[in-house]
Amino acid sequence: MNTHKKNIIYLCSVISLLGLWQLLANYLNAMILASPLQTLMQLSTLILTAEFWQQLLITIIRLLYALSLACSIGFTLGLIAGRHAWLKFYLAPFRWLLMSIPPVIVVLLAMLWFGMGNTMVIFIAVLLLTPTIYINTQKAVEQIDNHWFELAKVYQFSWFQRLVKIYIPAIAGPLSATLIIVCCNGVRIVVLAEVLGTHQGIGYELANASSNFATAELYAWVTVSLCIVAFMELVLLKPIQHYLLRWRKFI
């Protein structure tokens, strides 16, 4: 499918979502669901304030810190566990625990341990995002044919050469999908943590708007969260995905 057709389908999808939103807004009370126009007007008002950009910057910094740490830890452990079964079995109970516990419980515990602030938000996001990166990396590494590692041994590849020439190309597909999932979940987790346990950030503004019954402002901040996800996926992750999967154009 060419790019033009893809863009038309994307546009039709966005129009359908906006149409459904407007239809629901027509039948529901304005205190429950603000219309797209009301949300856009409120968002336009917020953008003109300095506080909006301050709160947005705080959330983005927290998100970038959390994603960097989670990706580094999960990817490293996944690479090692994919080649060494003892580490996979050792980490299995921790992975199961972290992937099973509800995020709200983690937020409450983190608030007790770290109080309210940046450390709590970043800790929660890292704790909940790392297992996803770890398990996908570990499973992908296990699928790599041992033939490639034998060749690397014969040609005396360094660890960096093995990483660049074998591991990353072999797990590029699962890794690209994992990055999209983790970024989307990262925004949700960071905002959730801010709603429950901080005095700054998008989540804090969401909580304030909800408590004040400012429905248009609430949906305006939700729209900002959606825009962050869209920016990360389309502007940051798409080029990475194209680079990792660049070999496909030769097939």
Side-chain angles (χ1 to χ4, degrees), residues 42-56 205 217 221:
Q42 183 62 44
L43 181 58
S44 301
T45 303
L46 289 174
I47 289 175
L48 298 177
T49 64
E51 185 180 1
F52 170 85
W53 297 104
Q54 292 172 357
Q55 303 296 350
L56 178 61
E205 294 296 334
E217 183 178 349
W221 284 109

Side-chain angles (χ1 to χ4, degrees), residues 164-234:
V164 174
K165 301 296 184 181
I166 298 177
Y167 287 109
I168 292 181
I171 68 174
L175 183 60
S176 298
T178 301
L179 288 175
I180 294 175
I181 295 171
V182 166
C183 286
C184 294
N185 287 338
V187 174
R188 293 193 297 176
I189 291 170
V190 168
V191 171
L192 172 64
E194 289 177 341
V195 167
L196 298 177
T198 65
H199 294 118
Q200 292 175 311
I202 291 176
Y204 173 70
E205 294 296 334
L206 277 168
N208 275 346
S210 178
S211 61
N212 294 328
F213 298 101
T215 309
E217 183 178 349
L218 173 65
Y219 283 94
W221 284 109
V222 171
T223 303
V224 172
S225 300
L226 296 177
C227 290
I228 293 175
V229 174
F231 177 83
M232 295 184 68
E233 182 173 347
L234 298 177

Side-chain angles (χ1 to χ4, degrees), residues 11 79 212:
L11 180 60
L79 284 179
N212 294 328

Side-chain angles (χ1 to χ4, degrees), residues 55 58-59 62 103-125 188-208:
Q55 303 296 350
I58 289 170
T59 296
R62 288 169 175 167
V104 174
I105 295 178
V106 178
V107 172
L108 294 176
L109 291 175
M111 288 172 63
L112 291 175
W113 297 338
F114 301 106
M116 302 173 69
N118 292 331
T119 303
M120 182 270 292
V121 175
I122 295 172
F123 172 80
I124 292 167
R188 293 193 297 176
I189 291 170
V190 168
V191 171
L192 172 64
E194 289 177 341
V195 167
L196 298 177
T198 65
H199 294 118
Q200 292 175 311
I202 291 176
Y204 173 70
E205 294 296 334
L206 277 168
N208 275 346

Side-chain angles (χ1 to χ4, degrees), residues 75-89 134 137-153 162-163 166-167 170-171:
F75 183 71
T76 302
L77 292 178
L79 284 179
I80 300 173
R83 294 295 298 162
H84 301 281
W86 67 267
L87 182 60
K88 178 181 71 173
F89 294 123
Y134 162 76
T137 303
Q138 179 252 312
K139 293 292 184 182
V141 170
E142 285 184 336
Q143 302 303 315
I144 301 176
D145 194 331
N146 283 326
H147 173 71
W148 297 109
F149 297 109
E150 293 173 2
L151 287 176
K153 186 175 182 181
R162 295 189 183 204
L163 176 66
I166 298 177
Y167 287 109
I171 68 174

